[in-house]
Amino acid sequence: MDFLIQRLPLYIDGAWITIQLTFGGCALAFVLAMVFGIMGTIRHWLPRAISTVYVEVFRGIAALVLMFWMAFALPQLSGFRLDDMFAAILALGLNVGAYGAEVVRSSINAVPKAQVEATVALNLSWFQRTRLVVLPQAWAQMLPTFGNLVIELMKATAVVYLIGVADLTAVAQNMRESTGETVVAFIGAFILYYLIAQVLIFGMRMLERRANRKLGRTPPRGKSLKSLAQSTPVGSAGGTF
């Protein structure tokens, strides 16, 4: 225990790098997922083809190999070297964004066709029906899988030390090599990774509840199920979309 307490500032520094990598990678992955996921639902063949190429290429490449490419191969080909942390964020975002794009595409396609047809009957533009009707419903379906992808991205940051980023795993590895305390060194990393994951899980669950509440799929805060049942007429549909 004294070992961990004495070296806690180093672990905190490593955890902060891990958090930055996680949020940076998630931000990039989210943007890519939304752009290419929506492109995958457009009827025209060109945006669908571009989306398919991105998804198939970056979903089929291991994140670690992509990091090595960004950090070591790209400088040799272009003569321009990326910052190690930026290279890690870019690789993680490109990789996880490809998985996220499929989540977005499938969630949008799962929105009932009757509602999309109703927006067409109301003469809404593609942008209006996507923003006002399709995405709010698809968003609630995306979030559970997005939550899993966020956790997977956070865990994938554990290999960034291989390209020179001093993250939490790098700190634990340096501690092991300098002190020989393998078990204790990695217990510190174990605990901090777990705590970071729990915070991310909690945040994603809050987003899920908020999205479902907006769609009327969960009872509003402060009202019980019994009171809602008593206020709902017999035979009426519970919930709106």
Side-chain angles (χ1 to χ4, degrees):
M1 184 60 68
D2 291 339
F3 176 92
L4 292 177
I5 293 174
Q6 292 172 3
R7 293 161 176 80
L8 184 59
L10 294 175
Y11 280 97
I12 296 298
D13 290 341
W16 175 237
I17 295 296
T18 294
I19 291 170
Q20 291 181 68
L21 289 167
T22 300
F23 279 94
C26 285
L28 177 59
F30 176 76
V31 172
L32 293 173
M34 294 301 295
V35 170
F36 287 100
I38 293 173
M39 287 174 63
T41 64
I42 296 175
R43 292 184 178 181
H44 195 276
W45 68 270
L46 182 58
R48 287 207 318 271
I50 295 172
S51 174
T52 300
V53 169
Y54 165 72
V55 169
E56 296 304 325
V57 169
F58 288 101
R59 192 171 57 172
I61 301 175
L64 181 57
V65 174
L66 200 53
M67 284 183 204
F68 284 157
W69 177 267
M70 297 294 180
F72 305 130
L74 189 61
Q76 291 187 9
L77 294 175
S78 65
F80 179 75
R81 181 173 179 82
L82 297 175
D83 177 75
D84 290 338
M85 192 161 176
F86 180 74
I89 290 174
L90 191 59
L92 291 169
L94 286 168
N95 182 257
V96 176
Y99 290 95
E102 283 296 279
V103 175
V104 173
R105 184 187 63 80
S106 60
S107 297
I108 290 175
N109 287 337
V111 175
K113 299 298 182 184
Q115 297 196 25
V116 178
E117 292 171 357
T119 62
V120 175
L122 291 171
N123 201 30
L124 295 181
S125 66
W126 176 87
F127 179 79
Q128 288 176 319
R129 64 174 177 263
T130 300
R131 181 175 64 88
L132 299 175
V133 177
V134 176
L135 281 183
Q137 296 181 68
W139 176 245
Q141 298 185 56
M142 297 174 201
L143 283 172
T145 309
F146 272 179
N148 292 334
L149 292 178
V150 167
I151 300 302
E152 290 300 319
L153 189 148
M154 186 274 293
K155 292 190 291 186
T157 64
V159 298
V160 300
Y161 79 96
L162 294 173
I163 63 171
V165 180
D167 72 320
L168 184 54
T169 301
V171 171
Q173 181 70 5
N174 290 336
M175 291 296 174
R176 184 189 71 82
E177 293 175 353
S178 61
T179 65
E181 296 285 348
T182 302
V183 175
V184 180
F186 282 102
I187 282 178
F190 178 93
I191 293 172
L192 287 172
Y193 273 119
Y194 177 78
L195 292 176
I196 294 171
Q198 293 309 303
V199 172
L200 294 173
I201 290 170
F202 177 78
M204 294 304 298
R205 285 179 178 170
M206 289 298 99
L207 287 176
E208 287 179 42
R209 291 177 185 176
R210 184 172 181 270
N212 285 319
R213 190 178 297 117
K214 283 189 172 183
L215 294 175
R217 294 175 180 172
T218 56
R221 184 175 297 179
K223 291 188 178 182
S224 64
L225 290 173
K226 182 178 179 180
S227 64
L228 287 175
Q230 290 174 348
S231 63
T232 304
V234 177
S236 65
T240 58
F241 294 91

